[in-house]
Amino acid sequence: SDNPMRDNATRASAGERQRRRLLAALRSVPVSTLDARERLDVTPPAARVLELRERGHRIVTTWTHEPDAWGRPHRIARYVLARQARRVEA
């Protein structure tokens, strides 16, 4: 677009929608980076998690291995809201 201010506002509102989707999902289940990208359309997931942490949400990162869409294994982050971390680990 020809209006850089509008472009910035559009990006900011897109980021906010992504943060809301991610937080809503995290309130129910752990979310991996693959889940965030593929199921929630959150990109980049690590940046959205950092922004949620900066807003006061306690999000724990664990590491796991999951196959991508082609079956190749990847070491990926799995995010859990801290108040739910005990239930997930139990």
Side-chain angles (χ1 to χ4, degrees):
S1 140
D2 295 334
N3 185 338
M5 293 298 285
R6 194 173 79 217
D7 290 347
N8 288 341
T10 300
R11 273 195 298 278
S13 62
E16 183 57 35
R17 288 191 302 275
Q18 289 181 20
R19 283 188 293 276
R20 276 190 238 133
R21 282 196 305 273
L22 180 55
L23 188 57
L26 286 167
R27 286 186 170 127
S28 301
V29 295
V31 176
S32 74
T33 53
L34 293 177
D35 293 334
R37 282 190 204 117
E38 296 169 8
R39 191 169 48 87
L40 301 174
D41 194 27
V42 170
T43 58
R48 300 292 91 84
V49 168
L50 177 61
E51 292 160 356
L52 288 170
R53 286 175 175 150
E54 289 170 346
R55 287 162 173 77
H57 298 282
R58 293 184 53 224
I59 300 171
V60 176
T61 302
T62 60
W63 295 94
T64 186
H65 288 84
E66 285 187 22
D68 63 16
W70 298 273
R72 295 176 301 211
H74 290 273
R75 181 176 179 260
I76 60 166
R78 179 176 301 282
Y79 303 107
V80 182
L81 275 180
R83 70 173 179 262
Q84 293 167 304
R86 284 185 291 279
R87 280 189 270 158
V88 170
E89 292 170 2

